[in-house]
Amino acid sequence: MIFFMLRGLLRGLKEILFPKACSSCKKKLNESDEELICKECYLGIKINLPPFCVSCGRHLEKNNFNKNICPGCAGKRLYFDRAFSACIYEGIATKLIHEFKYRGKESLAKPLSKIMINFIREYSLPIESFDFIIPIPLHKIKLREREFNQAEKLSSYIAKEFNKKVSSDILLRRRNTKAQAGLKDKERKLNVAGSFTVAKNSNLKNSNLLLIDDVLTTGATASEAALVLKNAGAQAVFVLTLAN
């Protein structure tokens, strides 16, 4: 506990001693700037554009052989009903997500969530139809390491914007899985198998749920979470991530 308090104190001192800079390009920002992203970098984030894969939500290229589904999802069983991602996981978006997720820049949650909020509005996602917004949970060991759950931070701003409820105590992580990065598709699926559970006394019968996470790669994590939620009674599970 003392270690984490000291780490938080040191982080605060660092922000005081060093000028505020863009989390992507490191350009100095004005003290009045609320966000940690300069205007140029924010506008440089590559937004995910239609047509979208009807499964994972990735942009479909013109030379895609199947009309509605991307090659990565064709023939694959995913348990969520549909996924959407607000931007493409490359360039500036990758830098910002790494700063947010691995370097403790919790304040990036607000500007990054704005991208997701704008996407919801632009493509009329049925946000009003969801009974709960559920962030993909971290295992308690990983939560101690990072000090916050990035999915939960994004969820809180989205929920506030649309007057929805975030339920962080329904879906639980019961096994500390290794990082998915670097694993092949089948390895990712095996890595997360059985890693989620639903809290006792959770009433999910016929509910419509929106899962929130930062990045969707193969969809293995979101699919495993959706399977557990549907086995607990959920009717539909949609996924929204910041990037894919």
Side-chain angles (χ1 to χ4, degrees):
M1 180 64 73
I2 294 174
F3 170 77
F4 293 117
M5 290 175 65
L6 286 172
R7 189 162 71 173
L9 178 62
L10 289 171
R11 184 182 296 160
L13 287 172
K14 184 179 179 181
E15 291 177 356
I16 294 171
L17 293 172
F18 296 95
K20 187 184 287 187
C22 172
S23 296
S24 175
C25 70
K26 309 305 178 186
K27 183 178 77 176
K28 185 178 179 181
L29 299 172
N30 296 323
E31 287 301 316
S32 59
D33 289 336
E34 292 184 7
E35 319 295 5
L36 289 178
I37 310 172
C38 70
K39 185 177 180 181
E40 290 78 10
C41 285
Y42 197 81
L43 293 175
I45 294 170
K46 189 175 179 180
I47 302 301
N48 191 25
L49 298 173
F52 301 123
C53 170
V54 295
S55 182
C56 73
R58 280 188 175 81
H59 171 74
L60 291 173
E61 301 295 339
K62 290 181 180 179
N63 59 355
N64 187 62
F65 291 107
N66 297 303
K67 287 185 177 180
N68 298 318
I69 195 164
C70 73
C73 291
K76 184 192 293 184
R77 186 174 185 182
L78 295 169
Y79 290 98
F80 50 76
D81 293 276
R82 191 161 184 181
F84 297 93
S85 295
C87 65
I88 307 299
Y89 189 62
E90 63 178 46
I92 294 169
T94 303
K95 289 181 183 178
L96 292 173
I97 290 170
H98 275 247
E99 291 287 314
F100 175 45
K101 190 172 181 178
Y102 301 117
R103 297 196 175 182
K105 291 195 176 178
E106 188 177 341
S107 53
L108 281 171
K110 185 176 181 180
L112 293 178
S113 68
K114 283 183 180 178
I115 301 171
M116 301 171 79
I117 290 167
N118 291 339
F119 185 88
I120 290 170
R121 288 206 168 99
E122 178 70 21
Y123 298 104
S124 302
L125 267 63
I127 191 76
E128 70 284 346
S129 301
F130 298 115
D131 299 294
F132 303 110
I133 293 177
I134 299 180
I136 293 288
L138 291 177
H139 189 269
K140 58 184 179 182
I141 293 175
K142 201 161 286 182
L143 184 58
R144 282 200 299 269
E145 291 173 356
R146 294 187 189 170
E147 297 185 322
F148 67 92
N149 178 357
Q150 70 279 357
E152 189 171 349
K153 295 298 177 182
L154 294 170
S155 297
S156 65
Y157 284 105
I158 294 168
K160 184 178 180 180
E161 184 69 23
F162 296 103
N163 194 30
K164 304 300 291 186
K165 181 181 178 182
V166 176
S167 296
S168 301
D169 55 353
I170 289 177
L171 184 65
L172 308 175
R173 200 128 192 181
R174 62 182 179 185
R175 187 163 58 82
N176 188 27
T177 56
K178 59 184 177 181
Q180 294 279 71
L183 297 180
K184 295 179 181 178
D185 199 343
K186 289 183 179 179
E187 293 173 330
R188 286 171 178 262
K189 188 175 180 179
L190 288 171
N191 186 42
V192 296
S195 61
F196 296 107
T197 189
V198 170
K200 292 180 180 178
N201 302 320
S202 296
N203 184 13
L204 296 179
K205 188 176 181 181
N206 298 324
S207 60
N208 298 317
L209 309 175
L210 178 63
L211 281 175
I212 299 289
D213 206 358
D214 55 347
V215 179
L216 185 140
T217 307
T218 64
T221 300
S223 180
E224 181 68 19
L227 174 61
V228 170
L229 291 166
K230 285 188 173 183
N231 285 342
Q235 177 174 276
V237 179
F238 282 60
V239 180
L240 175 65
T241 64
L242 174 58
N244 66 20

